[in-house]
């Protein structure tokens, strides 16, 4: 079906700042069509973005997993999986969609329009994936990868920073090291500095004959957790 000139201009205006160079702009248009519209339209009956979403979900996962594999070379599979699940989630994708203006481009049925469908996280995240699928079909894997990385890498960096702050590396290290060597990590306070009310502690951790650190923290426990993080990521498991 031909795309009206006004809609075509809107699509090009959306794509240009994102460096999305579609050869077939109808694929991008289809990515914005929610099933609620196709259910109500005789012209678009059974034509919506669900198949593109299915494809885009796989491309998004592949691109993100490959980046994590290369970027976090010393990280165990469990932590890679945890970060992957965070950054490709609806909670992560929906705000990106709003930032890119995807809500304004959606084509919805009357019911969804009246129930604030343009702001629903599931619809926004699904459309993000549909656009990826459309671009993959139109321009190939490399182009789709570059588009995905443009918005997913900042999300990965946020997840990594948050991960470092909240993960209990002391427990993780102890469990892993006990499983491998049947021994416990040994923590050593190697120094502290500053006045009593504002001290910084420095700690090393010993795994057998190997030591890691020192790492610093505003408490001994915080310094031990930081040292455990270094050891867990550096130890040759």
């Amino acid at each position: 079906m031909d795309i009206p000139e006004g809609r075509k201009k809107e699509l090009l205006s959306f794509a240009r700042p994102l460096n999305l160079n579609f050869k077939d702009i109808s694929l991008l248009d289809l990515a914005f069509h929610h099933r609620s519209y196709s259910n109500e339209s005789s012209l678009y009956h059974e034509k919506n973005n669900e198949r593109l979403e299915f494809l885009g979900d796989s491309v998004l996962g592949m691109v993100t997993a490959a980046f994590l594999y290369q970027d976090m070379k010393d990280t165990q599979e469990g932590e890679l999986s945890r970060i992957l699940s965070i950054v490709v989630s609806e909670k992560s994708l929906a705000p990106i969609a709003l930032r890119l203006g995807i809500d304004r481009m959606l084509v919805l049925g009357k019911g969804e329009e009246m129930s604030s469908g343009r702001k629903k996280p599931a619809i926004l995240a699904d459309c993000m994936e549909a656009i990826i699928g459309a671009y993959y079909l139109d321009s190939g894997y490399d182009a789709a990868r570059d588009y995905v990385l443009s918005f997913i890498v900042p999300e990965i960096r946020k997840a990594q920073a948050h991960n470092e702050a909240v993960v209990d590396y002391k427990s993780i290290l102890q469990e892993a090291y006990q499983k491998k060597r049947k021994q416990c990590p040994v923590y050593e306070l190697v120094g502290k500095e500053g006045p009593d009310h504002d001290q910084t502690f420095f700690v090393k951790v010993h795994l057998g004959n190997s030591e890691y650190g020192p790492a610093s923290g505003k408490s001994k426990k915080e310094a031990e957790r930081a040292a455990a993080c270094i050891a867990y990521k550096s130890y040759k498991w």
Side-chain angles (χ1 to χ4, degrees):
M1 190 175 75
D2 291 336
I3 303 173
E5 282 302 314
R7 175 65 175 176
K8 190 178 293 186
K9 288 181 180 179
E10 289 179 350
L11 292 166
L12 292 173
S13 294
F14 169 83
R16 195 173 299 114
L18 303 178
N19 293 316
L20 292 172
N21 302 304
F22 275 87
K23 296 182 281 291
D24 181 0
I25 201 67
S26 67
L27 280 169
L28 177 60
D29 188 47
L30 182 60
F32 290 114
H33 280 71
H34 187 253
R35 67 174 178 273
S36 62
Y37 181 82
S38 64
N39 289 342
E40 296 176 8
S41 172
S42 58
L43 291 176
Y44 266 90
H45 184 57
E46 295 184 355
K47 286 188 177 293
N48 55 56
N49 65 6
E50 289 184 339
R51 284 170 54 82
L52 290 176
E53 174 205 336
F54 165 79
L55 179 59
D57 176 65
S58 294
V59 176
L60 172 64
M62 177 61 192
V63 170
T64 307
F67 180 85
L68 288 171
Y69 182 83
Q70 293 295 329
D71 186 65
M72 303 175 70
K73 295 182 183 297
D74 298 320
T75 303
Q76 301 297 305
E77 182 270 341
E79 191 171 350
L80 293 175
S81 295
R82 182 166 56 249
I83 293 178
L84 175 66
S85 67
I86 291 170
V87 300
V88 302
S89 68
E90 176 183 303
K91 185 177 180 180
S92 177
L93 294 178
I96 298 172
L98 286 172
R99 194 163 67 243
L100 299 183
I102 285 174
D103 55 318
R104 298 190 299 272
M105 299 296 296
L106 286 166
V107 180
L108 304 173
K110 292 179 181 178
E112 279 294 352
E113 195 73 74
M114 293 176 64
S115 64
S116 301
R118 291 183 184 276
K119 303 300 180 183
K120 289 182 178 178
I123 291 177
L124 291 166
D126 289 349
C127 188
M128 283 287 294
E129 293 174 344
I131 292 170
I132 296 167
Y135 202 40
Y136 170 78
L137 288 177
D138 182 88
S139 299
Y141 178 79
D142 288 350
R145 177 201 60 212
D146 291 347
Y147 170 59
V148 168
L149 291 178
S150 72
F151 63 79
I152 212 68
V153 171
E155 297 303 307
I156 289 172
R157 298 302 181 224
K158 285 192 289 185
Q160 288 170 330
H162 179 73
N163 211 36
E164 295 296 331
V166 301
V167 172
D168 183 2
Y169 276 105
K170 277 192 71 176
S171 296
I172 293 173
L173 179 65
Q174 179 154 323
E175 181 179 344
Y177 192 61
Q178 280 184 323
K179 184 176 180 180
K180 188 175 182 68
R181 297 294 184 188
K182 304 296 188 288
Q183 298 175 0
C184 291
V186 177
Y187 294 89
E188 178 189 2
L189 179 65
V190 295
K192 55 184 177 179
E193 62 182 34
D196 289 345
H197 68 280
D198 187 26
Q199 289 190 319
T200 298
F201 296 81
F202 298 88
V203 169
K204 289 182 179 181
V205 60
H206 300 266
L207 301 181
N209 295 324
S210 300
E211 66 176 39
Y212 301 89
S216 63
K218 299 308 291 182
S219 68
K220 185 179 176 183
K221 184 177 180 180
E222 184 180 308
E224 288 176 348
R225 191 161 54 239
C229 177
I230 295 171
Y232 179 72
K233 291 185 174 183
S234 302
Y235 190 77
K236 302 303 181 184
W237 300 103

